[in-house]
Amino acid sequence: MADTIGRYARLLSPAFKPAAIGIGAVTLALSAWWLAADALRVKPSLAANIGAVRSELWLRDGWSELQPSPEAAEAAFTRALRLSPMDSGAWFGLASATGRFDWLNPTASKALKMSYYTGFNRSDLIAPRLLLLAQVDTTRDVELVDLLQRQIRLILTRAPELKGAIGQAYRVASDANRRIIEAEFKDANQSIPE
């Protein structure tokens, strides 16, 4: 068996050994680059810049920048969306960053809608998205009204453990949105949680 392997090894092209070493070196360098970005997760901005093609690092950077710098957060969420346009968490982040001061901003409402369209049933986003949606002026946008109604119905019928989120949303909701929430609870013959 060893003779056979040795015979075939001698028949390999002389370029095989340098090519194998080159491929191994590139693989090792890419692995080191990937792991370096992971090791720097405690510094989201640096990790995102090192792992530039990894959308989850840009998403983490966006959330870390949301309070101190909404503009930097918006840029990070936009970068995450360029790399992963179907990430409903990134769309929600963009809606949070752009809608903090002005819900008349079309980017904010479009981003919030996209967050719903790309991940309506994502359980980790249901409560925070509902809280944000309740604060939006839905009187000018029938799509947002529909999303609010559907989200309330989803919680009432399929996720009763999240009813507390509706109570929180109700407390911060605009008058128009409170009426929508009240109507959904009336249709379901339930009372709004405190």
Side-chain angles (χ1 to χ4, degrees), residues 30-194:
L30 288 173
S31 297
W33 165 70
W34 192 272
L35 292 173
D38 281 339
L40 292 169
R41 282 183 182 252
V42 293
K43 297 180 180 179
S45 183
L46 183 58
N49 283 308
I50 288 175
V53 297
R54 295 177 56 188
S55 66
E56 82 277 6
L57 296 174
W58 288 107
L59 185 59
R60 182 183 291 254
D61 182 36
W63 287 117
S64 73
E65 293 288 344
L66 191 58
Q67 293 300 323
S69 174
E71 296 80 17
E74 181 180 352
F77 289 129
T78 301
R79 182 82 183 259
L81 286 166
R82 281 191 195 120
L83 296 168
S84 183
M86 294 303 289
D87 187 342
S88 56
W91 283 111
F92 174 64
L94 183 61
S96 298
T98 56
R100 291 170 53 108
F101 306 111
D102 178 19
W103 271 104
L104 300 175
N105 177 347
T107 303
S109 62
K110 287 177 186 175
L112 184 58
K113 289 176 194 177
M114 285 302 297
S115 177
Y116 275 103
Y117 296 148
T118 57
F120 186 80
N121 292 332
R122 263 194 58 186
S123 60
D124 62 323
L125 292 178
I126 289 175
R129 232 179 1 205
L130 180 62
L131 196 59
L132 190 60
L133 181 58
Q135 298 172 54
V136 175
D137 179 15
T138 58
T139 57
R140 298 181 215 166
D141 194 332
V142 293
E143 268 184 289
L144 290 174
V145 170
D146 182 54
L147 288 171
L148 179 59
Q149 291 170 330
R150 288 176 49 210
Q151 192 71 83
I152 301 291
R153 281 185 221 130
L154 173 78
I155 292 171
L156 292 177
T157 58
R158 296 191 188 125
E161 68 277 5
L162 294 173
K163 277 177 77 172
I166 298 174
Q168 289 177 329
Y170 184 77
R171 285 189 288 281
V172 299
S174 65
D175 290 336
N177 291 344
R178 281 185 182 201
R179 287 190 294 277
I180 293 168
I181 294 170
E182 289 166 355
E184 290 302 319
F185 271 87
K186 185 178 179 184
D187 288 346
N189 290 324
Q190 296 185 32
S191 59
I192 298 172
E194 296 295 321

